[in-house]
Amino acid sequence: MALLYKTLLFDLDGTLTDSGSGIMNAARYAFKMMGYAEPDVADLEEMRGPPLRDSMRKLFHMDEQASAATIAHYRRYYKEKGMYECSVYPGIFRMLEQLRDAGARLYLATSKGHNTAVEVVKHFGLYPYFHAVVGSNLQGDKVEQKGDVIRRVLATCQTPGPIAMVGDRRFDINGGRENHLDTVAVRYGYAAKGELEDCNPTYLVASVQDLARLLLNETHKGA
């Protein structure tokens, strides 16, 4: 089988897993513990993708002290409950198995904290499919963007070309482009209407099945 890409970097939330409920519930809990009014649903939905500190600053205009306290509450809930309020999209296991068996090198590149990302993929049975799981570095004050995470994968892992980044939000597509990668955007995740089209990804697919056919280079079948 001639794969479209030899190396694939996958986003997690909204690409492999439907984790929106856990993320939004953790945010609601954090705001409640801080004594804040519950955010609008649109703002809660926008939190599914970018680093938490970016969301607190850009969406809710928090200073560093308030942001740090809110994120601490968020992570407490997410660690205890939120990460399990999640499911793997139908068809993902089959796709990853086929890609692995065809010789693709698969990496997870997520803005989620590294330790949490490892725990999530192990809990849901995704871990064995990946050569490495790379999450965001949560040490220090610097907010690590998706492009930074992708850059670490490329710098520390074996990534024979051609390479593509697969994700559901603009952060994934823009981060891939920053690193001169092809990008595959999936519509079934958490992007707002028109968001992915505005990013001009290399490919844009509607479903897990379409994603699998593309990456396995089977798009000609049934045409």
Side-chain angles (χ1 to χ4, degrees), residues 9 108-110 134-135 142-157 159 165 174-181:
L9 281 61
L108 191 74
T110 175
V134 180
K142 181 177 181 292
V143 177
E144 193 169 38
Q145 304 296 322
K146 195 54 171 280
D148 301 322
V149 176
I150 295 171
R151 195 168 297 113
R152 281 199 289 115
V153 175
L154 299 176
T156 61
C157 301
T159 54
M165 175 69 209
N174 292 338
R177 184 178 294 109
E178 288 171 18
N179 287 280
H180 311 291
L181 302 182

Side-chain angles (χ1 to χ4, degrees), residues 26 102 197:
E197 289 81 357

Side-chain angles (χ1 to χ4, degrees), residues 50-203:
L52 284 171
R53 288 186 182 181
D54 281 2
S55 294
M56 297 307 169
R57 183 178 69 251
K58 295 177 181 178
L59 295 177
F60 308 115
H61 311 293
M62 292 184 184
D63 60 27
E64 284 300 316
Q65 183 175 1
S67 174
T70 305
I71 290 171
H73 288 301
Y74 175 100
R75 288 184 176 146
R76 184 178 303 113
Y77 179 96
Y78 196 80
K79 183 176 182 179
E80 294 177 0
K81 296 181 181 180
M83 72 169 65
Y84 308 113
E85 296 172 333
C86 173
S87 61
V88 179
Y89 286 115
I92 289 294
F93 285 111
R94 177 60 175 159
M95 179 188 71
L96 295 178
E97 180 181 7
Q98 289 178 307
L99 289 169
R100 180 191 62 186
D101 291 349
R105 295 189 68 86
L106 308 179
Y107 296 96
L108 191 74
T110 175
S111 293
K112 194 182 295 296
H114 178 76
N115 291 339
T116 300
V118 170
E119 190 168 348
V120 168
V121 295
K122 284 184 175 180
H123 177 80
F124 288 99
L126 292 166
Y127 190 77
Y129 296 99
F130 292 98
H131 284 79
V133 173
V134 180
S136 181
N137 181 359
L138 300 178
Q139 301 299 318
D141 295 330
K142 181 177 181 292
V143 177
E144 193 169 38
Q145 304 296 322
K146 195 54 171 280
D148 301 322
V149 176
I150 295 171
R151 195 168 297 113
R152 281 199 289 115
V153 175
L154 299 176
T156 61
C157 301
Q158 295 182 24
T159 54
I163 312 169
M165 175 69 209
V166 183
D168 72 306
R169 295 295 313 272
R170 63 185 182 276
F171 313 102
D172 306 308
I173 306 309
N174 292 338
R177 184 178 294 109
E178 288 171 18
N179 287 280
H180 311 291
L181 302 182
D182 278 9
T183 54
V184 181
V186 300
R187 291 183 187 273
Y188 57 80
Y190 303 140
K193 184 177 181 180
E195 176 181 325
L196 296 174
E197 289 81 357
D198 290 345
C199 295
N200 193 29
T202 311
Y203 296 99

Side-chain angles (χ1 to χ4, degrees), residues 29-40:
Y29 171 84
F31 275 72
K32 180 179 179 180
M33 295 301 294
M34 291 293 291
Y36 301 150
E38 182 174 311
D40 293 337

